[in-house]
């Protein structure tokens, strides 16, 4: 007889769900802090390293773009693995790929090989995919009326790593002096080590597996294996207007945020801002993104997903209008970027919760991977187009287009709110 698995409870009737949540949530928080730290540490000097390796400032933006592309492309296969084997194998593999990608970046820097650098950055993006998928792992065992808060807690944990990461990039660069590694590649050495630690934490401590446990506790007949495929996930989204709204919410919020945020340092520098001030503005933006996510989760659970989607649209529109009309007012730009982060947080938390609510349990992991693919692919396109738009229409024009991008989302959400009362969430 085979040994019992540590992934699922032995007796569903005797499971202490609150105790399981208390065991799983801290592990996800720790892995999220570590993962966020590794990603932020590497990304801090990615464009600088790309410029050094390629010898071209025009090509420097391809490094973060490759990371976004890697995050998007790896979202679906990682979701497929989680659908088949559970959250733990998928998260561990994602962090390991991220560590290998960081190592390839270091090798490319030593060899001066730019295509290899882009390949490494794409692998590095797997760690971002792990961080995104962790928010759904938090929702697996959450009570339906507390899912948004569970998601927001894990999103909030990213704050610590995201704030610390850029600040340790310089020490990481100095640590490789004398090893023949460029200083700008030092953060990727540290990131590889952090990702390996993240993988170890998840592999050893994320037990029982939250997704497999949720399936074991599902009523008989509600977790049929035939409903777990990616094809079933696409069908579930196609058949659910609320799921489609959730996908659009997450994709539009992320695209608007990435497009405007990526061009803000350039706009600030054109109006005389120095590196220190630009850093403060971006730090305030990051605080808006992550630090207030528990508030968004609480509001989403109490007021409903649609209400917070409306809040996200309003915050993002106000952010674009403030930043786009700021001109030389650095304080106004900073306020706009802070609101941009808040709007992104509201959209991500409410959209992710609505998506989880709106599809059958068997299809959730596949749909969640599809969501991350959509949001990152959209943001990647938006990031590339943002530079073109700024060159043609200026930073104000970019923000105006960002507002226009929000209008269809506002219309869909309003129609949904007016035509049908928001239904109860799925278990």
């Amino acid at each position: 007889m085979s040994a019992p698995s540590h992934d699922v409870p032995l007796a569903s009737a005797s499971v202490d769900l609150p105790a399981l949540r208390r065991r799983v949530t801290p592990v996800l928080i720790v892995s999220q802090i570590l993962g966020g730290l590794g990603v932020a540490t590497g990304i801090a000097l990615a464009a600088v390293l790309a410029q050094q390796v390629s010898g071209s400032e025009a090509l420097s933006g391809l490094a973060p773009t490759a990371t976004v592309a890697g995050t998007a492309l790896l979202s679906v296969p990682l979701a497929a693995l989680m659908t088949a084997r559970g959250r733990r194998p998928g998260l561990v593999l994602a962090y390991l790929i991220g560590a290998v990608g960081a190592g390839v970046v270091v090798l490319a820097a030593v060899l001066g090989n730019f295509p290899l650098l882009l390949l490494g950055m794409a692998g590095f993006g797997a760690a971002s995919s792990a961080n995104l998928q962790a928010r759904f792992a938090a929702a697996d065992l959450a009570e339906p009326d507390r899912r948004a808060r569970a998601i927001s807690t894990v999103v909030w944990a990213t704050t610590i790593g995201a704030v610390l990461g850029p600040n340790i990039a310089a020490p990481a660069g100095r640590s490789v002096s004398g090893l023949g590694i460029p200083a700008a590649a030092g953060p990727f050495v540290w990131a590889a080590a952090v990702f390996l630690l993240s993988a170890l934490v998840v592999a050893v401590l994320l037990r029982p597996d939250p997704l497999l446990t949720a399936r074991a506790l599902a009523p008989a007949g509600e977790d049929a294996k035939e409903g777990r495929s990616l094809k079933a996930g696409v069908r579930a989204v196609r058949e659910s207007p609320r799921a489609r709204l959730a996908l659009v919410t997450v994709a539009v919020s992320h695209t608007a945020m990435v497009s405007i945020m990526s061009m803000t340092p350039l706009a600030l520098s054109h109006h005389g801002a120095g590196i220190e001030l630009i850093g403060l503005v971006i730090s305030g933006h990051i605080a808006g993104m992550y630090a207030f996510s528990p508030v968004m989760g609480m509001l989403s659970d109490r007021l409903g997903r649609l209400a917070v989607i409306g809040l996200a649209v309003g915050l993002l529109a106000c952010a674009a209008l403030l930043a786009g009309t700021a001109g030389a007012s650095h304080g106004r730009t900073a306020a706009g970027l802070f609101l941009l982060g808040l709007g992104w947080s509201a959209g991500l938390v409410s959209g992710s919760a609505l998506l989880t609510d709106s599809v059958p349990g068997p299809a959730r992991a596949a749909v969640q991977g599809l969501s991350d693919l959509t949001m990152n692919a959209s943001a990647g396109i938006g990031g590339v187009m943002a530079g073109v738009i700024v060159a043609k229409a200026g930073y104000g024009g970019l923000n105006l287009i960002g507002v226009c991008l929000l209008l269809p989302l506002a219309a869909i959400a309003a129609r949904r709110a007016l035509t049908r009362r928001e239904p109860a969430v799925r278990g």
Side-chain angles (χ1 to χ4, degrees):
M1 182 180 296
S2 60
S5 171
H6 294 289
D7 285 332
V8 295
L10 293 178
S12 298
S14 62
V15 169
D16 185 350
L17 269 178
L20 286 179
R21 295 186 193 109
R22 289 193 297 270
R23 187 188 311 168
V24 166
T25 301
V27 178
L28 293 173
I29 289 174
V30 171
S31 68
Q32 193 78 345
I33 292 172
L34 292 172
L37 177 64
V39 170
T41 302
I43 287 296
L45 294 180
V48 175
L49 181 61
Q51 181 180 355
Q52 291 177 359
V53 174
S54 67
S56 169
E57 184 175 346
L59 296 177
S60 62
L62 291 180
T65 300
T67 301
V68 173
T71 303
L73 292 173
L74 290 167
S75 295
V76 170
L78 288 172
L81 176 60
M82 292 182 196
T83 298
R85 303 290 299 276
R87 298 290 184 192
R88 191 173 69 252
L91 292 175
V92 169
L93 180 60
Y95 283 126
L96 291 177
I97 294 174
V100 172
V104 171
V105 169
V106 175
L107 177 62
V110 173
L111 298 176
N113 189 317
F114 187 63
L116 185 63
L117 175 73
L118 295 181
L119 178 63
M121 291 302 302
F124 184 84
S128 292
S129 186
N131 283 357
L132 288 169
Q133 287 289 323
R135 76 190 192 276
F136 291 122
D140 288 334
L141 295 176
E143 297 172 0
D145 61 352
R146 295 184 65 89
R147 277 188 189 130
R149 274 169 279 191
I151 290 170
S152 66
T153 298
V154 174
V155 172
W156 170 86
T158 310
T159 310
I160 301 173
V163 171
L164 286 178
N167 293 299
I168 67 172
R174 290 193 295 269
S175 71
V176 298
S177 61
L179 299 178
I181 298 174
F188 289 93
V189 176
W190 286 32
V194 171
F195 293 155
L196 289 175
L197 180 58
S198 301
L200 181 63
V201 167
V202 172
V204 174
L205 299 179
L206 192 61
R207 298 172 184 272
D209 187 288
L211 179 58
L212 298 184
T213 302
R215 287 176 178 170
L217 297 177
E222 287 193 10
D223 191 49
K225 289 184 178 180
E226 59 270 17
R228 299 178 188 172
S229 66
L230 290 174
K231 183 178 180 181
V234 173
R235 183 170 63 249
V237 172
R238 189 171 60 245
E239 293 174 353
S240 170
R242 296 170 75 238
R244 294 198 298 271
L245 171 60
L247 272 179
V248 172
T249 298
V250 173
V252 169
S253 299
H254 196 55
T255 302
M257 185 276 291
V258 169
S259 301
I260 295 172
M261 181 272 294
S262 64
M263 291 294 107
T264 299
L266 181 64
L268 285 168
S269 66
H270 285 169
H271 289 288
I275 295 176
E276 293 80 5
L277 179 56
I278 292 173
L280 286 174
V281 171
I282 298 302
S283 294
H285 169 68
I286 292 172
M289 288 176 64
Y290 298 117
F292 295 90
S293 57
V295 176
M296 301 304 174
M298 180 188 67
L299 291 175
S300 187
D301 283 335
R302 291 187 177 182
L303 303 180
R305 317 311 192 208
L306 295 179
V308 180
I309 289 174
L311 175 62
V313 171
L315 288 170
L316 291 168
C318 288
L321 291 173
L322 267 177
T325 58
S329 174
H330 298 152
R332 190 166 177 170
T333 302
L337 264 287
F338 177 72
L339 288 180
L340 187 71
L342 282 181
W344 175 87
S345 179
L348 183 76
V349 171
S350 60
S352 299
L354 179 63
L355 186 70
T356 304
D357 296 341
S358 304
V359 297
R364 280 177 186 159
V367 170
Q368 289 157 355
L370 179 64
S371 170
D372 286 350
L373 168 64
T374 303
M375 68 181 278
N376 283 291
S378 301
I381 295 171
V384 172
M385 292 302 298
V388 177
I389 293 170
V390 168
K392 298 291 185 181
Y395 182 65
L398 172 65
N399 280 272
L400 178 60
I401 291 174
V403 173
C404 294
L405 187 66
L406 295 168
L407 294 178
L409 171 59
I412 295 170
R415 184 175 64 181
R416 182 69 193 170
L418 291 173
T419 58
R420 187 176 299 178
R421 184 178 177 183
E422 187 170 1
V425 299
R426 291 177 182 264

